[in-house]
Amino acid sequence: AQKITQTQPGMFVQEKEAVTLDCTYDTSDQSYGLFWYKQPSSGEMIFLIYQGSYDEQNATEGRYSLNFQKARKSANLVISASQLGDSAMYFCAMRGFTGGGNKLTFGTGTQLKVEL
Amino acid sequence: GAGVSQSPSNKVTEKGKDVELRCDPISGHTALYWYRQRLGQGLEFLIYFQGNSAPDKSGLPSDRFSAERTGESVSTLTIQRTQQEDSAVYLCASSLGGRGGTEAFFGQGTRLTVV
């Protein structure tokens, strides 16, 4: 079974500051992938960043980086230099890679608001 | 097509009627997922397909919900005897599937309103 936990229902950050969105997970799979998605008020789901469980380096994509701590089972998203357009709901997700399993499980999300 | 396409984009139905929601995944994507998202909530997993098979149907809320996929392509989510609590946005996603970190691409969703 897989479980994703996002403990921050809402976060505020000032423009140009960095913000960390928390994500912890639980899985019995030895090999898995972790994803972050952004959902603006328009409702579309936008893929941001991916981290594989055996990747040695933390993933980075532009202003997004993933702080992956395997022993703690955490995969926090760091957004640097926040912009007003970053205001959205952010979801952490994981997929286990065992056998035929390919289920993609999401957390409950964190609503981020970027303020001037 | 270039992306995941869902139809209809909006559906208003009367309580007790059946509805069919359609998802056209990205060509070549073997994995297909259905999620339900109630207003202001997270994504609730319903079912996923690998090819035409559904290894995990554990998220289907009741036997009123069913889904099928044919030709490793189009999928249909059917809700029978709709209830007001079925009102939500139904999101479909597809990915290359198999092992690996390929992300899932989402459609724009079908907003279902049961009156």
Side-chain angles (χ1 to χ4, degrees):
Chain A
Q2 301 171 14
K3 187 176 166 96
I4 295 280
T5 302
Q6 294 181 255
T7 57
Q8 306 154 314
M11 289 281 286
F12 290 88
V13 64
Q14 285 206 313
E15 195 181 21
K16 299 178 187 175
E17 297 289 312
V19 62
T20 298
L21 306 184
D22 294 342
C23 172
T24 58
Y25 60 90
D26 194 17
T27 181
S28 54
D29 289 321
Q30 295 300 310
S31 179
Y32 50 88
L34 296 152
F35 304 80
W36 277 92
Y37 283 82
K38 171 184 178 181
Q39 187 178 45
S41 56
S42 59
E44 62 187 309
M45 290 287 285
I46 303 167
F47 166 73
L48 296 178
I49 194 167
Y50 164 78
Q51 177 83 44
S53 58
Y54 284 102
D55 291 343
E56 293 185 355
Q57 302 284 336
N58 283 347
T60 61
E61 285 288 346
R63 295 186 298 110
Y64 304 108
S65 60
L66 204 152
N67 184 1
F68 179 48
Q69 297 188 46
K70 192 171 181 178
R72 293 186 176 185
K73 293 191 175 178
S74 76
N76 298 341
L77 177 70
V78 180
I79 305 175
S80 62
S82 297
Q83 301 172 356
L84 294 177
D86 293 335
S87 294
M89 182 74 94
Y90 288 80
F91 292 99
C92 180
M94 77 171 296
R95 177 194 283 136
F97 298 156
T98 56
N102 203 18
K103 180 178 173 181
L104 187 60
T105 303
F106 283 80
T108 53
T110 295
Q111 182 73 50
L112 176 67
K113 180 125 174 121
V114 181
E115 302 173 318
L116 288 169
Chain B
V4 178
S5 177
Q6 291 188 247
S7 60
S9 54
N10 277 286
K11 177 74 177 177
V12 180
T13 190
E14 291 182 350
K15 179 181 169 181
K17 300 280 190 186
D18 298 351
V19 294
E20 280 191 356
L21 311 181
R22 178 185 168 107
C23 173
D24 281 272
I26 293 172
S27 179
H29 280 193
T30 58
L32 185 148
Y33 307 85
W34 282 101
Y35 296 91
R36 178 169 71 179
Q37 187 175 30
R38 293 197 168 104
L39 188 63
Q41 304 295 310
L43 275 71
E44 179 186 358
F45 169 80
L46 297 178
I47 187 170
Y48 100 86
F49 290 90
Q50 187 65 43
N52 294 332
S53 301
D56 193 334
K57 306 179 185 179
S58 62
L60 293 177
S62 73
D63 58 9
R64 296 187 296 105
F65 287 72
S66 63
E68 65 173 16
R69 188 180 185 194
T70 56
E72 296 199 356
S73 181
V74 172
S75 176
T76 303
L77 177 68
T78 302
I79 309 174
Q80 295 178 309
R81 305 181 303 282
T82 51
Q83 304 292 315
Q84 287 185 329
E85 66 259 26
D86 299 335
S87 295
V89 174
Y90 289 81
L91 289 164
C92 175
S94 72
S95 73
L96 282 172
R99 298 174 186 268
T102 54
E103 70 268 29
F105 295 84
F106 281 80
Q108 295 289 359
T110 293
R111 182 176 299 278
L112 176 67
T113 304
V114 182
V115 297

